[in-house]
Amino acid sequence: MKAVLPGSLPGSGSDAGKPVVFGDAAEPEPGDGELVVAVEAYSVNRGETFQLDGRLDRRRPGWRPGKDVAGKVVRAAADGSGPPAGIRVVAHPPAYGWAERVAVPTGNVAELPDSVDAVTAAALPLAGITALRLLRVAGPIAGRRVLLTGASGGVGHYVTELAASSGAMVTVVSATAGRGARLLELGAAKLTTSVADAQGPFDIVLESVGGASLPAALARLAPGGLLVWFGQASRTPVTLDFFDFFKGPSRARIEHFDYTVSDTSYGEDLATLVRLVARGRLHPEIDSVRDWSRTDEVITDLRGRRVRGNAVLTVG
């Protein structure tokens, strides 16, 4: 079958500078509790671009990217779990999804109603699951003041709409006002292009940029506030002066977040996201839809921060 394969790492090999190449891959062989999905669409996440350029480990020999897919089940799980062949699904495999077919654990799929198309569904998994679980960590948010940094990506759009619809007063930080404009339409109370301009204090800070952004956001916490650190999009290490922290808001807390830690079965969260979309309560922000032959272009645009929300590729 055809698949998108990792290119050479920057500065090496004949494909140097190409993030991905097209090639042939073996047909997926599903294990226990796995089904096979014929992929109709997939989305690209920034974390996958970091893996492709070597800034995150490629975890195993033969690794191929692909964690967010939508399509149709073409081979049901042998143990009878999960949907049967012919059912449309959204899925979150651990990898290998940028291909014509992919094996997925049955606990990581959710059925799609006719009202949710494959392109919309493909934008849901990683970003949507992250947003749901991030807000659970934040706790009750109705009436609370929330600061969200790095808000113009896929996770940020979902967090903004979900938090605002739950009664939170959300201030979003986006690199430019243009990239952040849609966030105001989704319910954000205020938009700023710099953490330094955010008018706190905030009960909850959701921080995804790293570098100088985290200590600046931490300084804007209210007493007893919570900062949840869920990303480092700037790829710049954080330097935190704990003497400044101790002089800051009393009883403030910092918590690190990883969406995979609490539960590695994603089907229920996927079903929740699908239900919200079908009912018109969640609106995936899809900035770009292209044929999968243009995956390398999308990766380049993501690296250059030229994608607002999600980018989706269609297969076949």
Side-chain angles (χ1 to χ4, degrees):
M1 69 174 181
K2 296 298 182 182
V4 177
L5 312 176
S8 298
L9 292 175
S12 64
S14 60
D15 290 325
K18 294 183 179 180
V20 293
V21 295
F22 266 85
D24 295 318
E27 288 286 347
E29 289 295 335
D32 293 340
E34 292 186 337
L35 49 73
V36 177
V37 175
V39 179
E40 297 175 11
Y42 59 81
S43 63
V44 180
N45 298 290
R46 282 185 60 82
E48 289 165 319
T49 72
F50 297 149
Q51 286 179 290
L52 286 166
D53 67 15
R55 283 184 282 179
L56 294 176
D57 290 338
R58 296 178 179 178
R59 298 185 181 278
R60 63 183 69 87
W63 173 85
R64 290 186 281 110
K67 296 174 70 69
D68 291 4
V69 305
K72 184 177 291 184
V73 177
V74 292
R75 182 174 173 182
D79 63 1
S81 63
I87 297 298
R88 299 174 59 248
V89 296
V90 59
H92 191 45
Y96 309 110
W98 299 359
E100 292 180 302
R101 288 167 290 281
V102 62
V104 188
T106 57
N108 291 1
V109 302
E111 296 187 23
L112 292 175
D114 292 340
S115 60
V116 180
D117 61 78
V119 168
T120 300
L124 290 173
L126 190 147
I129 293 167
T130 299
L132 282 179
R133 296 185 175 190
L134 189 62
L135 290 172
R136 289 182 192 135
V137 169
I141 59 173
R144 307 193 78 187
R145 298 159 295 178
V146 177
L147 176 65
L148 172 64
T149 68
S152 57
V155 174
H157 281 82
Y158 288 129
V159 167
T160 299
E161 185 169 20
L162 290 169
S165 65
S166 297
M169 295 173 288
V170 185
T171 295
V172 293
V173 183
S174 175
T176 67
R179 282 174 56 82
R182 174 63 172 156
L183 298 163
L184 294 172
E185 298 175 9
L186 293 175
K190 293 182 180 179
L191 166 66
T192 180
T193 57
S194 170
V195 176
D197 295 332
Q199 298 179 0
F202 298 96
D203 304 299
I204 300 165
V205 170
L206 305 175
E207 217 294 302
S208 67
V209 178
S213 177
L214 190 149
L218 183 62
R220 283 154 179 77
L221 269 182
L226 169 66
L227 184 148
V228 183
W229 185 12
F230 70 99
Q232 193 165 309
S234 68
R235 313 310 294 168
T236 302
V238 172
T239 299
L240 184 61
D241 187 331
F242 274 89
F243 287 103
D244 287 342
F245 178 53
F246 294 147
K247 290 185 293 185
S250 61
R251 296 174 288 109
R253 297 171 291 143
I254 301 175
E255 183 168 337
H256 176 250
F257 171 85
D258 180 345
Y259 87 104
T260 68
V261 170
S262 60
D263 182 7
T264 56
S265 179
Y266 307 108
E268 290 187 7
D269 284 342
L270 285 173
T272 296
L273 294 166
V274 169
R275 183 172 65 252
L276 291 172
V277 170
R279 294 179 179 178
R281 296 178 59 190
L282 186 65
H283 302 83
E285 183 65 14
I286 301 174
D287 188 45
S288 174
V289 180
R290 309 180 209 183
D291 183 80
W292 70 322
S293 62
R294 301 173 65 187
T295 300
D296 57 342
E297 297 176 13
V298 170
I299 292 170
T300 299
D301 287 346
L302 277 168
R303 289 173 173 170
R305 298 183 181 277
R306 293 187 290 273
V307 175
R308 182 184 66 187
N310 295 89
V312 176
L313 288 304
T314 57
V315 178

PDB file of all heavy atoms in Angstrom, residues 23-37:
ATOM      1  N   GLY A  23       6.042   6.446  -0.487  1.00  0.00           N
ATOM      2  CA  GLY A  23       6.627   5.147  -0.756  1.00  0.00           C
ATOM      3  C   GLY A  23       5.640   4.036  -0.482  1.00  0.00           C
ATOM      4  O   GLY A  23       4.441   4.277  -0.268  1.00  0.00           O
ATOM      5  N   ASP A  24       6.156   2.826  -0.498  1.00  0.00           N
ATOM      6  CA  ASP A  24       5.343   1.643  -0.219  1.00  0.00           C
ATOM      7  C   ASP A  24       5.575   1.175   1.206  1.00  0.00           C
ATOM      8  O   ASP A  24       6.689   1.272   1.740  1.00  0.00           O
ATOM      9  CB  ASP A  24       5.689   0.517  -1.191  1.00  0.00           C
ATOM     10  CG  ASP A  24       5.320   0.872  -2.629  1.00  0.00           C
ATOM     11  OD1 ASP A  24       4.227   1.434  -2.826  1.00  0.00           O
ATOM     12  OD2 ASP A  24       6.136   0.613  -3.535  1.00  0.00           O
ATOM     13  N   ALA A  25       4.540   0.678   1.830  1.00  0.00           N
ATOM     14  CA  ALA A  25       4.624   0.127   3.185  1.00  0.00           C
ATOM     15  C   ALA A  25       3.834  -1.172   3.225  1.00  0.00           C
ATOM     16  O   ALA A  25       2.914  -1.392   2.429  1.00  0.00           O
ATOM     17  CB  ALA A  25       4.062   1.119   4.208  1.00  0.00           C
ATOM     18  N   ALA A  26       4.206  -2.022   4.143  1.00  0.00           N
ATOM     19  CA  ALA A  26       3.499  -3.295   4.298  1.00  0.00           C
ATOM     20  C   ALA A  26       2.071  -3.049   4.780  1.00  0.00           C
ATOM     21  O   ALA A  26       1.796  -2.092   5.507  1.00  0.00           O
ATOM     22  CB  ALA A  26       4.240  -4.187   5.285  1.00  0.00           C
ATOM     23  N   GLU A  27       1.180  -3.925   4.372  1.00  0.00           N
ATOM     24  CA  GLU A  27      -0.190  -3.856   4.872  1.00  0.00           C
ATOM     25  C   GLU A  27      -0.196  -4.047   6.391  1.00  0.00           C
ATOM     26  O   GLU A  27       0.587  -4.834   6.929  1.00  0.00           O
ATOM     27  CB  GLU A  27      -1.052  -4.940   4.225  1.00  0.00           C
ATOM     28  CG  GLU A  27      -1.370  -4.697   2.764  1.00  0.00           C
ATOM     29  CD  GLU A  27      -2.407  -3.602   2.565  1.00  0.00           C
ATOM     30  OE1 GLU A  27      -3.056  -3.203   3.547  1.00  0.00           O
ATOM     31  OE2 GLU A  27      -2.561  -3.150   1.420  1.00  0.00           O
ATOM     32  N   PRO A  28      -1.059  -3.317   7.087  1.00  0.00           N
ATOM     33  CA  PRO A  28      -1.111  -3.466   8.545  1.00  0.00           C
ATOM     34  C   PRO A  28      -1.578  -4.861   8.949  1.00  0.00           C
ATOM     35  O   PRO A  28      -2.492  -5.418   8.332  1.00  0.00           O
ATOM     36  CB  PRO A  28      -2.111  -2.402   8.985  1.00  0.00           C
ATOM     37  CG  PRO A  28      -2.941  -2.135   7.774  1.00  0.00           C
ATOM     38  CD  PRO A  28      -2.039  -2.317   6.600  1.00  0.00           C
ATOM     39  N   GLU A  29      -0.936  -5.408   9.954  1.00  0.00           N
ATOM     40  CA  GLU A  29      -1.335  -6.694  10.514  1.00  0.00           C
ATOM     41  C   GLU A  29      -1.887  -6.442  11.910  1.00  0.00           C
ATOM     42  O   GLU A  29      -1.124  -6.255  12.859  1.00  0.00           O
ATOM     43  CB  GLU A  29      -0.136  -7.649  10.573  1.00  0.00           C
ATOM     44  CG  GLU A  29       0.317  -8.152   9.213  1.00  0.00           C
ATOM     45  CD  GLU A  29      -0.745  -9.018   8.530  1.00  0.00           C
ATOM     46  OE1 GLU A  29      -1.581  -9.615   9.251  1.00  0.00           O
ATOM     47  OE2 GLU A  29      -0.767  -9.069   7.293  1.00  0.00           O
ATOM     48  N   PRO A  30      -3.210  -6.403  12.054  1.00  0.00           N
ATOM     49  CA  PRO A  30      -3.785  -6.060  13.357  1.00  0.00           C
ATOM     50  C   PRO A  30      -3.477  -7.100  14.419  1.00  0.00           C
ATOM     51  O   PRO A  30      -3.506  -8.305  14.163  1.00  0.00           O
ATOM     52  CB  PRO A  30      -5.287  -5.996  13.070  1.00  0.00           C
ATOM     53  CG  PRO A  30      -5.484  -6.863  11.863  1.00  0.00           C
ATOM     54  CD  PRO A  30      -4.239  -6.704  11.042  1.00  0.00           C
ATOM     55  N   GLY A  31      -3.166  -6.611  15.616  1.00  0.00           N
ATOM     56  CA  GLY A  31      -2.949  -7.491  16.748  1.00  0.00           C
ATOM     57  C   GLY A  31      -4.252  -7.739  17.484  1.00  0.00           C
ATOM     58  O   GLY A  31      -5.350  -7.403  16.999  1.00  0.00           O
ATOM     59  N   ASP A  32      -4.140  -8.319  18.671  1.00  0.00           N
ATOM     60  CA  ASP A  32      -5.326  -8.577  19.483  1.00  0.00           C
ATOM     61  C   ASP A  32      -6.038  -7.256  19.790  1.00  0.00           C
ATOM     62  O   ASP A  32      -5.415  -6.277  20.199  1.00  0.00           O
ATOM     63  CB  ASP A  32      -4.935  -9.262  20.793  1.00  0.00           C
ATOM     64  CG  ASP A  32      -4.397 -10.663  20.564  1.00  0.00           C
ATOM     65  OD1 ASP A  32      -4.669 -11.237  19.492  1.00  0.00           O
ATOM     66  OD2 ASP A  32      -3.688 -11.174  21.465  1.00  0.00           O
ATOM     67  N   GLY A  33      -7.352  -7.246  19.585  1.00  0.00           N
ATOM     68  CA  GLY A  33      -8.132  -6.051  19.899  1.00  0.00           C
ATOM     69  C   GLY A  33      -7.893  -4.901  18.956  1.00  0.00           C
ATOM     70  O   GLY A  33      -8.133  -3.741  19.324  1.00  0.00           O
ATOM     71  N   GLU A  34      -7.444  -5.183  17.739  1.00  0.00           N
ATOM     72  CA  GLU A  34      -7.215  -4.130  16.758  1.00  0.00           C
ATOM     73  C   GLU A  34      -8.049  -4.372  15.501  1.00  0.00           C
ATOM     74  O   GLU A  34      -8.299  -5.520  15.110  1.00  0.00           O
ATOM     75  CB  GLU A  34      -5.742  -4.041  16.367  1.00  0.00           C
ATOM     76  CG  GLU A  34      -4.832  -3.552  17.479  1.00  0.00           C
ATOM     77  CD  GLU A  34      -3.416  -3.333  17.006  1.00  0.00           C
ATOM     78  OE1 GLU A  34      -3.011  -3.944  15.986  1.00  0.00           O
ATOM     79  OE2 GLU A  34      -2.688  -2.550  17.657  1.00  0.00           O
ATOM     80  N   LEU A  35      -8.476  -3.285  14.878  1.00  0.00           N
ATOM     81  CA  LEU A  35      -9.173  -3.337  13.599  1.00  0.00           C
ATOM     82  C   LEU A  35      -8.367  -2.551  12.572  1.00  0.00           C
ATOM     83  O   LEU A  35      -7.399  -1.877  12.905  1.00  0.00           O
ATOM     84  CB  LEU A  35     -10.596  -2.804  13.733  1.00  0.00           C
ATOM     85  CG  LEU A  35     -10.820  -1.455  14.441  1.00  0.00           C
ATOM     86  CD1 LEU A  35     -10.373  -0.281  13.597  1.00  0.00           C
ATOM     87  CD2 LEU A  35     -12.282  -1.310  14.830  1.00  0.00           C
ATOM     88  N   VAL A  36      -8.769  -2.637  11.304  1.00  0.00           N
ATOM     89  CA  VAL A  36      -8.068  -1.919  10.242  1.00  0.00           C
ATOM     90  C   VAL A  36      -9.010  -0.883   9.648  1.00  0.00           C
ATOM     91  O   VAL A  36     -10.163  -1.183   9.315  1.00  0.00           O
ATOM     92  CB  VAL A  36      -7.570  -2.878   9.148  1.00  0.00           C
ATOM     93  CG1 VAL A  36      -6.915  -2.097   8.007  1.00  0.00           C
ATOM     94  CG2 VAL A  36      -6.578  -3.883   9.730  1.00  0.00           C
ATOM     95  N   VAL A  37      -8.511   0.345   9.517  1.00  0.00           N
ATOM     96  CA  VAL A  37      -9.272   1.455   8.957  1.00  0.00           C
ATOM     97  C   VAL A  37      -8.688   1.835   7.606  1.00  0.00           C
ATOM     98  O   VAL A  37      -7.464   2.000   7.479  1.00  0.00           O
ATOM     99  CB  VAL A  37      -9.235   2.674   9.899  1.00  0.00           C
ATOM    100  CG1 VAL A  37      -9.921   3.888   9.253  1.00  0.00           C
ATOM    101  CG2 VAL A  37      -9.881   2.351  11.240  1.00  0.00           C
TER     102      VAL A  37
END
